[in-house]
Amino acid sequence: MTTQVPDTLQLEGRTYVILNWQGDTDCIPSSESLGFHTVSQSSENWSGRINHYGVWGNELYLFKIEATLEAAPDTPTPPNARREVLLRYEQFFDFEGHPAELREYRYDFFIYEDLKLPFTGRVIAVAEENLWGKPEAALDAEPATPFAIVFRNGLVEDVYDLE
């Protein structure tokens, strides 16, 4: 099974990787309910989106969605969101060193400022730097301890280490 690109959670100024949701995940809005359709770009991201959550004022928010859109230029920005588009280019060369192909990669982000989630349950997370971004550094580092954040109706009730 291919490892999935993880969703993230910001808590107390740090970013964590979400390992698991346990509880009422029906409160997380689907792409369709937000007004857009995603496609899977690879087996690493079946849903075609990466969610970025945050805890501010002890409340859980879905604040950013990175989406691989079906028809990106034609997809309208959802209500109550703003859109950011990141374009990256990769130049390929032939065997003689001449430019052969220029590929464009498009990343669409929908940013929300007030999308509170009334989630009840636990989120299991771990420090981001030990799983993604610097895999070579993770080999030498001690593995981070996973921890749980307990929510009731979107409010933090408890945070504790799992070991």
Side-chain angles (χ1 to χ4, degrees):
M1 182 171 172
T2 305
T3 302
Q4 293 297 292
V5 176
D7 291 337
T8 65
L9 174 80
Q10 288 187 4
L11 176 68
E12 297 178 353
R14 293 193 62 199
T15 301
Y16 299 93
V17 171
I18 296 175
L19 300 176
N20 193 5
W21 290 83
Q22 300 170 347
D24 179 21
T25 56
D26 290 340
C27 68
I28 300 170
S30 68
S31 299
E32 289 73 20
S33 72
L34 293 172
F36 57 90
H37 298 282
T38 61
V39 292
S40 176
Q41 202 170 30
S42 72
S43 62
E44 293 177 330
N45 189 348
W46 292 323
S47 69
R49 74 185 233 187
I50 302 168
N51 295 326
H52 302 277
Y53 301 90
V55 174
W56 296 287
N58 235 23
E59 295 180 289
L60 179 64
Y61 291 86
L62 173 56
F63 78 92
K64 181 168 62 173
I65 298 170
E66 181 178 341
T68 304
L69 301 172
E70 225 171 39
D74 299 329
T75 300
T77 301
N80 301 319
R82 66 184 165 86
R83 185 179 197 157
E84 292 180 0
V85 177
L86 172 65
L87 298 175
R88 290 201 171 142
Y89 296 91
E90 184 176 13
Q91 179 70 63
F92 291 88
F93 297 89
D94 62 20
F95 289 109
E96 282 107 33
H98 301 104
E101 178 186 2
L102 179 65
R103 287 189 193 166
E104 177 182 281
Y105 300 96
R106 180 184 175 112
Y107 302 90
D108 286 86
F109 298 89
F110 298 117
I111 292 89
Y112 296 86
E113 294 187 17
D114 60 354
L115 189 50
K116 293 182 186 177
L117 296 180
F119 175 70
T120 297
R122 291 188 331 162
V123 173
I124 310 300
V126 69
E128 179 182 46
E129 55 270 10
N130 286 324
L131 289 182
W132 299 94
K134 299 178 186 171
E136 67 282 352
L139 295 175
D140 298 331
E142 287 291 318
T145 302
F147 66 97
I149 309 168
V150 179
F151 293 93
R152 180 168 308 282
N153 201 26
L155 296 172
V156 175
E157 282 197 337
D158 195 13
V159 179
Y160 57 90
D161 286 342
L162 291 176
E163 291 185 8

